[in-house]
Coordinates of all heavy atoms in Angstrom, one line a residue:
M1 N 62.2 -4.5 -63.3 CA 61.9 -5.3 -62.1 C 61.2 -4.3 -61.2 O 61.3 -3.1 -61.0 CB 63.3 -5.6 -61.4 CG 63.3 -6.5 -60.3 SD 64.8 -7.1 -59.9 CE 64.2 -8.5 -59.0
R2 N 60.3 -4.9 -60.5 CA 59.3 -4.3 -59.6 C 59.9 -4.1 -58.4 O 60.7 -4.9 -57.7 CB 58.1 -5.1 -59.4 CG 57.3 -5.3 -60.6 CD 56.0 -6.0 -60.4 NE 55.3 -5.0 -59.7 CZ 53.9 -4.9 -60.0 NH1 53.4 -5.6 -60.8 NH2 53.2 -4.0 -59.3
N3 N 59.6 -2.9 -57.8 CA 60.2 -2.6 -56.4 C 59.2 -3.0 -55.3 O 58.1 -3.4 -55.6 CB 60.6 -1.1 -56.3 CG 59.4 -0.2 -56.4 OD1 58.3 -0.7 -56.4 ND2 59.7 1.1 -56.6
I4 N 59.6 -3.0 -54.2 CA 58.7 -3.5 -53.0 C 57.5 -2.5 -52.9 O 56.4 -3.0 -52.5 CB 59.6 -3.5 -51.7 CG1 58.7 -4.3 -50.6 CG2 59.8 -2.1 -51.2 CD1 58.9 -5.7 -50.8
S5 N 57.7 -1.3 -53.2 CA 56.6 -0.3 -53.3 C 55.5 -0.7 -54.1 O 54.2 -0.8 -54.0 CB 57.0 1.1 -53.4 OG 56.0 1.9 -53.6
G6 N 55.9 -1.1 -55.4 CA 55.0 -1.6 -56.5 C 54.2 -2.8 -56.0 O 53.0 -3.0 -56.4
K7 N 55.0 -3.8 -55.4 CA 54.3 -5.0 -54.8 C 53.3 -4.7 -53.7 O 52.2 -5.2 -53.7 CB 55.5 -5.9 -54.3 CG 55.0 -7.3 -53.9 CD 54.7 -8.2 -55.2 CE 54.8 -9.6 -54.9 NZ 54.4 -10.4 -56.1
M8 N 53.7 -3.8 -52.8 CA 52.7 -3.3 -51.8 C 51.5 -2.8 -52.3 O 50.4 -2.9 -51.9 CB 53.5 -2.3 -50.8 CG 52.8 -2.2 -49.6 SD 52.5 -3.8 -48.9 CE 52.7 -3.4 -47.1
D9 N 51.7 -1.9 -53.5 CA 50.5 -1.2 -54.0 C 49.4 -2.4 -54.6 O 48.3 -2.2 -54.6 CB 50.8 -0.4 -55.2 CG 51.6 0.9 -54.7 OD1 51.5 1.2 -53.5 OD2 52.2 1.5 -55.5
D10 N 50.1 -3.4 -55.2 CA 49.3 -4.5 -55.7 C 48.5 -5.2 -54.6 O 47.3 -5.5 -54.7 CB 50.1 -5.6 -56.3 CG 50.7 -5.1 -57.7 OD1 50.2 -4.0 -58.3 OD2 51.6 -5.7 -58.2
V11 N 49.0 -5.4 -53.5 CA 48.4 -6.1 -52.3 C 47.3 -5.0 -51.8 O 46.2 -5.6 -51.5 CB 49.5 -6.3 -51.1 CG1 48.7 -6.8 -49.9 CG2 50.5 -7.4 -51.7
M12 N 47.6 -3.8 -51.7 CA 46.7 -2.8 -51.2 C 45.4 -2.8 -52.1 O 44.3 -2.7 -51.7 CB 47.2 -1.4 -51.1 CG 48.2 -1.5 -49.9 SD 49.2 0.1 -49.8 CE 47.8 1.5 -49.6
L13 N 45.7 -2.8 -53.5 CA 44.5 -2.8 -54.4 C 43.7 -4.0 -54.4 O 42.4 -4.1 -54.4 CB 45.1 -2.6 -55.8 CG 45.6 -1.2 -56.1 CD1 46.3 -1.3 -57.5 CD2 44.5 -0.3 -56.0
E14 N 44.4 -5.2 -54.1 CA 43.7 -6.5 -54.0 C 42.8 -6.5 -52.7 O 41.6 -6.9 -52.7 CB 44.7 -7.7 -54.0 CG 43.9 -9.0 -53.8 CD 43.2 -9.4 -55.1 OE1 43.2 -8.8 -56.1 OE2 42.3 -10.4 -54.8
N15 N 43.3 -6.0 -51.6 CA 42.6 -5.9 -50.4 C 41.5 -4.9 -50.6 O 40.4 -5.2 -50.0 CB 43.5 -5.3 -49.3 CG 44.5 -6.5 -48.8 OD1 44.2 -7.6 -49.0 ND2 45.6 -6.0 -48.1
G16 N 41.6 -3.8 -51.3 CA 40.5 -3.0 -51.6 C 39.3 -3.6 -52.4 O 38.3 -3.4 -52.1
R17 N 39.8 -4.3 -53.4 CA 38.8 -5.0 -54.2 C 38.1 -6.1 -53.3 O 36.8 -6.1 -53.4 CB 39.5 -5.7 -55.3 CG 40.0 -4.9 -56.5 CD 40.5 -5.6 -57.6 NE 41.7 -6.3 -57.5 CZ 42.9 -5.8 -57.7 NH1 43.0 -4.5 -58.3 NH2 44.1 -6.5 -57.5
R18 N 38.7 -6.7 -52.5 CA 38.1 -7.8 -51.6 C 37.1 -7.1 -50.8 O 36.0 -7.6 -50.5 CB 39.0 -8.6 -51.0 CG 39.8 -9.5 -51.9 CD 40.8 -10.4 -51.3 NE 40.3 -11.2 -50.2 CZ 39.8 -12.5 -50.5 NH1 39.8 -13.0 -51.6 NH2 39.3 -13.1 -49.4
K19 N 37.5 -5.9 -50.1 CA 36.7 -5.2 -49.1 C 35.3 -4.7 -49.8 O 34.3 -4.9 -49.2 CB 37.6 -4.0 -48.4 CG 36.7 -3.2 -47.6 CD 37.5 -2.1 -47.0 CE 36.9 -1.5 -45.9 NZ 36.1 -0.3 -46.3
I20 N 35.5 -4.1 -50.9 CA 34.3 -3.6 -51.7 C 33.4 -4.7 -52.0 O 32.1 -4.7 -51.8 CB 34.7 -2.8 -52.9 CG1 35.5 -1.6 -52.5 CG2 33.5 -2.4 -53.7 CD1 36.3 -0.8 -53.5
A21 N 34.0 -5.9 -52.5 CA 33.3 -7.0 -52.8 C 32.5 -7.8 -51.8 O 31.4 -8.2 -51.8 CB 34.0 -8.1 -53.6
R22 N 33.1 -7.6 -50.6 CA 32.6 -8.2 -49.3 C 31.3 -7.3 -48.9 O 30.2 -7.8 -48.6 CB 33.6 -8.3 -48.2 CG 33.2 -8.9 -47.0 CD 34.2 -9.1 -45.9 NE 35.4 -9.6 -46.4 CZ 36.7 -8.9 -46.7 NH1 36.7 -7.6 -46.2 NH2 37.7 -9.3 -47.1
E23 N 31.5 -6.0 -49.1 CA 30.4 -5.1 -48.7 C 29.2 -5.4 -49.6 O 28.0 -5.4 -49.2 CB 30.7 -3.6 -48.8 CG 31.8 -3.3 -47.8 CD 32.4 -1.9 -48.1 OE1 32.0 -1.1 -49.1 OE2 33.3 -1.5 -47.2
C24 N 29.5 -5.6 -51.0 CA 28.6 -5.8 -51.9 C 27.7 -7.1 -51.6 O 26.6 -7.2 -51.7 CB 29.2 -5.7 -53.3 SG 28.0 -6.0 -54.7
R25 N 28.7 -8.1 -51.3 CA 28.0 -9.5 -51.1 C 27.1 -9.4 -49.8 O 26.0 -9.9 -49.8 CB 29.2 -10.5 -50.7 CG 28.7 -11.9 -50.4 CD 29.8 -12.6 -49.7 NE 29.2 -13.9 -49.2 CZ 28.7 -14.0 -48.0 NH1 28.6 -13.1 -47.2 NH2 28.1 -15.2 -47.5
D26 N 27.4 -8.6 -48.9 CA 26.7 -8.6 -47.6 C 25.4 -7.9 -47.9 O 24.3 -8.3 -47.4 CB 27.4 -7.7 -46.5 CG 28.6 -8.4 -46.0 OD1 28.7 -9.7 -46.1 OD2 29.4 -7.8 -45.3
K27 N 25.5 -6.9 -48.8 CA 24.2 -6.2 -49.2 C 23.2 -7.1 -50.0 O 22.1 -7.1 -49.9 CB 24.6 -5.0 -50.1 CG 23.5 -4.2 -50.5 CD 23.1 -3.1 -49.5 CE 22.0 -2.1 -50.1 NZ 22.0 -0.9 -49.4
L28 N 23.9 -8.0 -50.9 CA 23.0 -8.9 -51.7 C 22.5 -9.9 -50.7 O 21.3 -10.4 -50.9 CB 24.0 -9.7 -52.7 CG 24.5 -8.7 -54.0 CD1 25.4 -9.3 -54.6 CD2 23.2 -8.5 -54.8
K29 N 23.2 -10.4 -49.7 CA 22.7 -11.4 -48.7 C 21.6 -10.9 -48.0 O 20.7 -11.7 -47.4 CB 23.8 -12.0 -47.9 CG 24.8 -12.8 -48.7 CD 24.2 -14.1 -49.2 CE 25.3 -15.0 -50.0 NZ 24.7 -16.1 -50.4
Q30 N 21.4 -9.6 -47.7 CA 20.4 -9.2 -46.8 C 18.9 -9.3 -47.4 O 18.0 -9.3 -46.7 CB 20.6 -7.5 -46.7 CG 21.7 -7.1 -45.8 CD 22.0 -5.7 -45.7 OE1 21.3 -4.9 -46.3 NE2 22.9 -5.3 -44.7
L31 N 19.0 -9.4 -48.7 CA 17.7 -9.6 -49.5 C 17.2 -11.0 -49.5 O 18.0 -11.9 -49.8 CB 17.7 -9.1 -50.9 CG 18.0 -7.6 -51.0 CD1 18.2 -7.3 -52.5 CD2 16.9 -6.8 -50.3
K32 N 16.0 -11.4 -49.1 CA 15.5 -12.8 -49.1 C 15.4 -13.3 -50.3 O 15.9 -14.3 -50.7 CB 14.2 -12.8 -48.2 CG 14.3 -12.2 -46.9 CD 13.9 -13.2 -45.8 CE 13.9 -12.7 -44.5 NZ 15.0 -12.8 -43.7
K33 N 14.7 -12.6 -51.2 CA 14.5 -13.1 -52.7 C 15.1 -12.1 -53.5 O 14.7 -11.0 -53.6 CB 13.0 -13.3 -53.0 CG 12.7 -13.9 -54.1 CD 11.2 -14.2 -54.4 CE 11.0 -15.0 -55.6 NZ 9.7 -15.2 -55.9
L34 N 16.1 -12.6 -54.2 CA 16.9 -11.6 -55.0 C 16.6 -11.8 -56.5 O 16.6 -13.0 -57.1 CB 18.3 -11.9 -54.9 CG 19.4 -10.9 -55.4 CD1 19.2 -9.7 -54.7 CD2 20.8 -11.5 -55.2
S35 N 16.2 -10.8 -57.3 CA 15.9 -10.9 -58.6 C 17.2 -10.2 -59.3 O 18.1 -9.6 -58.8 CB 14.8 -10.0 -58.9 OG 15.0 -8.6 -59.0
D36 N 17.2 -10.6 -60.6 CA 18.3 -10.1 -61.4 C 18.6 -8.7 -61.4 O 19.5 -8.1 -61.4 CB 18.2 -10.7 -62.9 CG 18.5 -12.1 -63.1 OD1 19.2 -12.7 -62.1 OD2 18.2 -12.7 -64.1
R37 N 17.4 -8.0 -61.5 CA 17.3 -6.6 -61.6 C 17.8 -5.9 -60.2 O 18.7 -5.0 -60.2 CB 15.9 -6.1 -61.7 CG 15.7 -4.5 -62.0 CD 14.3 -4.2 -62.3 NE 14.1 -4.7 -63.7 CZ 13.0 -4.5 -64.3 NH1 12.1 -3.8 -63.9 NH2 12.9 -5.0 -65.6
Q38 N 17.4 -6.6 -59.1 CA 18.0 -6.1 -57.8 C 19.5 -6.4 -57.7 O 20.2 -5.4 -57.3 CB 17.2 -6.8 -56.7 CG 15.8 -6.4 -56.5 CD 15.2 -7.2 -55.4 OE1 15.3 -8.6 -55.6 NE2 14.5 -6.7 -54.5
S39 N 19.9 -7.5 -58.1 CA 21.3 -7.7 -58.0 C 22.3 -7.0 -59.0 O 23.3 -6.4 -58.5 CB 21.6 -9.4 -58.2 OG 21.2 -9.6 -59.6
T40 N 21.7 -6.6 -60.1 CA 22.4 -5.7 -61.0 C 22.5 -4.4 -60.4 O 23.5 -3.7 -60.5 CB 21.6 -5.6 -62.4 OG1 21.8 -7.0 -62.9 CG2 22.5 -4.8 -63.4
A41 N 21.3 -3.9 -59.8 CA 21.4 -2.5 -59.2 C 22.4 -2.4 -58.1 O 23.0 -1.4 -57.9 CB 19.9 -2.3 -58.7
I42 N 22.5 -3.5 -57.3 CA 23.4 -3.5 -56.2 C 24.8 -3.5 -56.7 O 25.7 -2.8 -56.2 CB 23.1 -4.7 -55.2 CG1 21.8 -4.4 -54.5 CG2 24.2 -4.8 -54.1 CD1 21.3 -5.5 -53.7
L43 N 25.0 -4.4 -57.5 CA 26.4 -4.4 -58.2 C 26.8 -3.0 -58.8 O 28.0 -2.5 -58.6 CB 26.4 -5.4 -59.2 CG 26.6 -6.8 -58.8 CD1 26.4 -7.9 -60.0 CD2 27.8 -7.2 -58.1
K44 N 25.9 -2.4 -59.5 CA 26.1 -1.0 -60.1 C 26.3 0.0 -59.0 O 27.1 1.0 -59.2 CB 25.0 -0.6 -61.0 CG 25.0 -1.4 -62.4 CD 24.1 -0.9 -63.3 CE 24.1 -1.7 -64.6 NZ 23.1 -1.2 -65.6
D45 N 25.8 -0.1 -57.8 CA 26.0 0.8 -56.7 C 27.4 0.7 -56.4 O 28.1 1.8 -56.0 CB 25.2 0.5 -55.6 CG 23.5 1.0 -55.7 OD1 23.4 1.9 -56.6 OD2 22.7 0.5 -55.0
Y46 N 28.0 -0.3 -56.2 CA 29.4 -0.6 -55.8 C 30.5 -0.4 -56.9 O 31.6 -0.3 -56.6 CB 29.6 -1.9 -55.2 CG 28.9 -2.0 -53.9 CD1 27.5 -2.3 -53.6 CD2 29.5 -1.7 -52.6 CE1 27.0 -2.3 -52.4 CE2 29.0 -1.6 -51.3 CZ 27.6 -2.1 -51.2 OH 27.0 -2.0 -50.1
L47 N 30.1 -0.4 -58.1 CA 30.9 -0.3 -59.3 C 31.8 0.8 -59.3 O 33.0 0.6 -59.5 CB 30.1 -0.5 -60.6 CG 30.9 -0.8 -61.8 CD1 31.6 -2.2 -61.5 CD2 30.0 -1.0 -63.0
P48 N 31.4 2.1 -59.2 CA 32.2 3.2 -59.3 C 33.5 3.1 -58.3 O 34.5 3.4 -58.7 CB 31.4 4.4 -58.9 CG 30.0 4.0 -59.2 CD 30.0 2.5 -58.9
K49 N 33.3 2.7 -57.1 CA 34.3 2.6 -56.1 C 35.2 1.3 -56.4 O 36.4 1.5 -56.3 CB 33.8 2.4 -54.8 CG 34.7 2.6 -53.6 CD 34.0 2.7 -52.2 CE 33.1 1.7 -51.8 NZ 32.7 1.8 -50.3
F50 N 34.7 0.3 -57.0 CA 35.3 -0.8 -57.4 C 36.2 -0.6 -58.5 O 37.4 -1.1 -58.5 CB 34.5 -2.0 -57.6 CG 35.1 -3.3 -57.9 CD1 35.5 -4.1 -56.9 CD2 35.2 -3.7 -59.2 CE1 36.2 -5.2 -57.1 CE2 35.9 -5.0 -59.5 CZ 36.3 -5.8 -58.3
Q51 N 35.8 0.2 -59.5 CA 36.6 0.5 -60.6 C 38.0 1.2 -60.4 O 38.9 0.9 -61.0 CB 35.8 1.3 -61.6 CG 34.8 0.6 -62.5 CD 34.0 1.5 -63.4 OE1 33.3 2.4 -62.8 NE2 34.1 1.2 -64.7
L52 N 38.0 1.9 -59.3 CA 39.2 2.6 -58.9 C 40.4 1.6 -58.5 O 41.4 2.0 -58.5 CB 38.8 3.7 -57.7 CG 37.8 4.7 -58.0 CD1 37.6 5.6 -56.7 CD2 38.3 5.6 -59.1
T53 N 40.0 0.5 -58.1 CA 41.0 -0.5 -57.7 C 41.5 -1.4 -58.8 O 42.4 -2.2 -58.5 CB 40.4 -1.5 -56.4 OG1 39.2 -2.3 -57.1 CG2 39.9 -0.6 -55.4
L54 N 40.9 -1.4 -60.0 CA 41.3 -2.2 -61.0 C 42.6 -1.8 -61.6 O 43.0 -0.7 -61.7 CB 40.2 -2.3 -62.1 CG 38.9 -2.7 -61.8 CD1 37.8 -2.7 -62.8 CD2 39.0 -4.3 -61.1
S55 N 43.4 -2.9 -62.0 CA 44.7 -2.6 -62.7 C 44.6 -2.8 -64.2 O 43.5 -3.2 -64.6 CB 45.7 -3.6 -62.0 OG 45.4 -4.9 -62.4
E56 N 45.7 -2.6 -64.8 CA 45.8 -3.0 -66.4 C 45.3 -4.3 -66.7 O 44.6 -4.5 -67.8 CB 47.0 -2.6 -66.9 CG 47.4 -1.3 -67.2 CD 46.4 -0.7 -68.1 OE1 46.1 -1.2 -69.3 OE2 45.7 0.4 -67.8
K57 N 45.6 -5.4 -65.9 CA 45.3 -6.8 -66.3 C 43.7 -6.9 -66.2 O 43.3 -7.9 -66.8 CB 45.9 -7.7 -65.4 CG 45.3 -8.0 -64.1 CD 46.0 -9.0 -63.3 CE 45.2 -9.3 -61.9 NZ 45.6 -10.5 -61.3
H58 N 43.0 -6.1 -65.5 CA 41.5 -6.2 -65.5 C 40.8 -5.4 -66.6 O 39.5 -5.7 -66.7 CB 41.0 -5.5 -64.1 CG 41.5 -6.2 -63.0 ND1 42.6 -5.9 -62.2 CD2 41.1 -7.4 -62.3 CE1 42.8 -6.7 -61.2 NE2 42.0 -7.7 -61.2
K59 N 41.6 -4.9 -67.4 CA 40.9 -4.1 -68.5 C 40.3 -5.0 -69.6 O 39.7 -4.5 -70.5 CB 41.9 -3.0 -69.1 CG 42.5 -2.1 -68.1 CD 41.3 -1.2 -67.6 CE 42.2 -0.3 -66.6 NZ 41.2 0.6 -65.8
K60 N 40.7 -6.2 -69.7 CA 40.3 -7.2 -70.6 C 38.7 -7.4 -70.7 O 38.3 -7.8 -71.6 CB 41.1 -8.4 -70.6 CG 42.5 -8.4 -70.9 CD 43.3 -9.5 -70.7 CE 44.8 -9.5 -71.0 NZ 45.6 -10.7 -70.7
F61 N 38.1 -7.4 -69.5 CA 36.7 -7.6 -69.2 C 36.1 -6.5 -68.6 O 36.7 -5.7 -67.8 CB 36.7 -8.9 -68.3 CG 37.1 -10.1 -68.9 CD1 38.4 -10.6 -68.5 CD2 36.5 -10.8 -69.9 CE1 39.0 -11.7 -68.9 CE2 37.0 -11.9 -70.5 CZ 38.3 -12.4 -70.1
P62 N 34.8 -6.3 -68.7 CA 34.2 -5.2 -68.1 C 34.1 -5.2 -66.5 O 34.2 -6.2 -66.0 CB 32.7 -5.4 -68.5 CG 32.7 -6.3 -69.8 CD 33.9 -7.2 -69.5
P63 N 34.2 -4.1 -66.0 CA 34.4 -4.0 -64.4 C 33.3 -4.7 -63.8 O 33.6 -5.3 -62.7 CB 34.3 -2.5 -64.2 CG 34.9 -1.9 -65.5 CD 34.3 -2.8 -66.6
I64 N 32.1 -4.8 -64.3 CA 31.0 -5.4 -63.6 C 31.3 -6.9 -63.4 O 30.8 -7.5 -62.5 CB 29.7 -4.9 -64.1 CG1 28.6 -5.4 -63.0 CG2 29.4 -5.6 -65.5 CD1 27.3 -4.6 -63.2
M65 N 31.8 -7.4 -64.4 CA 32.2 -8.9 -64.5 C 33.2 -9.2 -63.4 O 33.1 -10.2 -62.7 CB 32.7 -9.4 -65.8 CG 31.5 -9.3 -66.9 SD 32.2 -10.0 -68.5 CE 32.7 -11.7 -68.1
W66 N 34.3 -8.2 -63.2 CA 35.2 -8.5 -62.3 C 34.5 -8.4 -60.7 O 34.8 -9.1 -59.8 CB 36.3 -7.5 -62.4 CG 37.3 -7.8 -63.3 CD1 37.5 -7.2 -64.5 CD2 38.2 -8.9 -63.2 NE1 38.5 -7.8 -65.3 CE2 38.9 -8.9 -64.6 CE3 38.4 -10.0 -62.5 CZ2 40.0 -9.9 -64.8 CZ3 39.4 -10.8 -62.7 CH2 40.2 -10.8 -63.9
L67 N 33.7 -7.3 -60.6 CA 32.9 -7.2 -59.3 C 32.2 -8.5 -58.9 O 32.3 -9.0 -57.9 CB 32.1 -6.0 -59.3 CG 31.5 -5.7 -58.0 CD1 32.2 -5.7 -56.7 CD2 30.6 -4.5 -58.0
N68 N 31.4 -9.0 -60.0 CA 30.6 -10.1 -59.7 C 31.6 -11.3 -59.4 O 31.3 -12.2 -58.5 CB 29.9 -10.5 -61.0 CG 28.7 -11.5 -60.8 OD1 28.1 -11.5 -59.8 ND2 28.6 -12.4 -61.7
Y69 N 32.7 -11.4 -60.1 CA 33.6 -12.6 -59.8 C 34.2 -12.6 -58.5 O 34.2 -13.5 -57.7 CB 34.8 -12.5 -60.9 CG 36.0 -13.3 -60.5 CD1 36.0 -14.6 -60.7 CD2 37.2 -12.7 -59.9 CE1 37.1 -15.5 -60.4 CE2 38.3 -13.5 -59.6 CZ 38.2 -14.9 -59.8 OH 39.3 -15.7 -59.4
Y70 N 34.6 -11.4 -58.0 CA 35.1 -11.3 -56.5 C 34.0 -11.5 -55.5 O 34.2 -12.2 -54.6 CB 35.6 -9.8 -56.3 CG 37.1 -9.7 -56.7 CD1 37.5 -9.4 -58.1 CD2 38.0 -9.9 -55.9 CE1 38.7 -9.2 -58.4 CE2 39.5 -9.7 -56.1 CZ 39.7 -9.4 -57.5 OH 41.1 -9.2 -57.7
V71 N 32.8 -11.2 -55.9 CA 31.7 -11.4 -54.9 C 31.4 -13.0 -54.8 O 31.3 -13.5 -53.8 CB 30.3 -10.7 -55.4 CG1 29.2 -11.1 -54.6 CG2 30.5 -9.2 -55.1
M72 N 31.4 -13.6 -56.0 CA 31.2 -15.1 -56.0 C 32.4 -15.7 -55.4 O 32.1 -16.8 -54.6 CB 31.0 -15.5 -57.5 CG 29.6 -15.1 -58.0 SD 29.3 -15.8 -59.6 CE 30.7 -15.6 -60.5
K73 N 33.6 -15.4 -55.6 CA 34.7 -15.9 -55.0 C 34.7 -15.8 -53.5 O 35.0 -16.7 -52.8 CB 35.9 -15.2 -55.6 CG 37.3 -15.8 -55.1 CD 38.4 -15.0 -55.8 CE 39.8 -15.5 -55.2 NZ 40.9 -14.7 -55.8
L74 N 34.5 -14.7 -53.0 CA 34.3 -14.4 -51.5 C 33.3 -15.3 -51.0 O 33.4 -15.8 -49.7 CB 33.9 -12.9 -51.2 CG 35.3 -12.1 -51.2 CD1 34.9 -10.6 -51.2 CD2 36.2 -12.4 -50.1
D75 N 32.0 -15.5 -51.6 CA 31.0 -16.1 -51.2 C 31.4 -17.7 -50.9 O 31.0 -18.3 -50.0 CB 29.7 -16.1 -52.0 CG 28.5 -16.6 -51.5 OD1 28.2 -16.2 -50.3 OD2 27.8 -17.4 -52.1
K76 N 32.2 -18.2 -51.9 CA 32.7 -19.5 -51.8 C 33.6 -19.6 -50.6 O 33.7 -20.6 -50.0 CB 33.4 -19.9 -53.1 CG 32.5 -20.2 -54.3 CD 33.4 -20.8 -55.5 CE 32.4 -21.3 -56.5 NZ 33.3 -21.8 -57.7
E77 N 34.5 -18.7 -50.5 CA 35.3 -18.7 -49.3 C 34.7 -18.7 -48.1 O 35.0 -19.5 -47.0 CB 36.3 -17.6 -49.4 CG 37.5 -17.6 -50.5 CD 38.3 -16.4 -50.6 OE1 38.2 -15.4 -49.7 OE2 38.9 -16.2 -51.6
I78 N 33.7 -17.9 -47.9 CA 32.9 -17.8 -46.7 C 32.1 -19.1 -46.4 O 32.0 -19.5 -45.2 CB 32.0 -16.5 -46.7 CG1 33.0 -15.3 -46.6 CG2 31.0 -16.6 -45.5 CD1 32.2 -14.0 -46.9
N79 N 31.6 -19.7 -47.4 CA 30.9 -20.9 -47.2 C 31.8 -22.2 -47.3 O 31.2 -23.2 -47.3 CB 29.8 -21.0 -48.3 CG 28.7 -19.9 -48.2 OD1 28.4 -19.7 -47.1 ND2 28.3 -19.5 -49.2
N80 N 33.0 -21.9 -47.3 CA 34.0 -23.0 -47.3 C 33.9 -24.0 -48.4 O 34.0 -25.3 -48.3 CB 34.1 -23.8 -46.0 CG 34.5 -22.9 -44.8 OD1 35.5 -22.2 -45.0 ND2 33.9 -23.1 -43.7
E81 N 33.5 -23.5 -49.6 CA 33.3 -24.4 -50.8 C 34.7 -24.4 -51.5 O 35.4 -23.4 -51.6 CB 32.3 -23.8 -51.7 CG 30.9 -23.8 -51.2 CD 29.9 -23.1 -52.0 OE1 30.2 -22.8 -53.2 OE2 28.8 -22.9 -51.5
P82 N 35.0 -25.5 -52.2 CA 36.2 -25.6 -53.0 C 36.1 -24.8 -54.2 O 35.0 -24.6 -54.7 CB 36.4 -27.0 -53.3 CG 35.0 -27.8 -53.1 CD 34.2 -26.9 -52.2
N83 N 37.2 -24.3 -54.7 CA 37.3 -23.5 -55.9 C 36.8 -24.3 -57.0 O 36.4 -24.4 -57.9 CB 38.6 -22.9 -56.1 CG 39.0 -21.9 -55.1 OD1 38.1 -21.3 -54.5 ND2 40.1 -21.7 -54.8

């Protein structure tokens, strides 16, 4: 059974993932015309810090896919789009 500390760690890691993804999204949105090469470079810039927040359940897919997922998810939330 998980203790309250373990639950709090999960929340802190999720908040960290969202913070890094928000920073990455903001950087992507600064560019007027975004190419695949530019977006990949920006994602890779944030990847080392983002990887530190990943848990065991995230190991099934590459970290860059998770970062991209979080960026897109936040973009939808900010633009009030349904999931």
Side-chain angles (χ1 to χ4, degrees):
M1 184 162 203
R2 297 185 73 137
N3 61 16
I4 194 83
S5 176
K7 190 74 160 171
M8 194 59 149
D9 290 343
D10 291 343
V11 171
M12 290 172 57
L13 287 172
E14 179 68 15
N15 288 340
R17 286 188 287 269
R18 291 177 61 86
K19 181 180 186 267
I20 295 165
R22 192 175 308 110
E23 291 171 4
C24 184
R25 178 196 172 274
D26 292 344
K27 183 89 171 199
L28 288 166
K29 291 293 184 179
Q30 286 177 357
L31 300 174
K32 300 239 185 270
K33 188 172 182 181
L34 189 65
S35 71
D36 286 342
R37 186 173 290 184
Q38 288 173 315
S39 62
T40 301
I42 292 171
L43 286 169
K44 284 184 178 179
D45 284 344
Y46 286 90
L47 196 57
K49 193 163 51 167
F50 185 79
Q51 282 180 299
L52 297 175
T53 66
L54 296 178
S55 64
E56 273 306 307
K57 76 172 192 170
H58 294 102
K59 304 294 183 191
K60 295 178 183 175
F61 297 101
I64 198 160
M65 288 179 68
W66 280 112
L67 178 55
N68 191 45
Y69 167 76
Y70 272 86
V71 168
M72 291 187 311
K73 184 176 171 183
L74 281 169
D75 195 49
K76 282 184 175 183
E77 288 175 12
I78 291 169
N79 293 323
N80 293 320
E81 295 175 11
N83 290 336

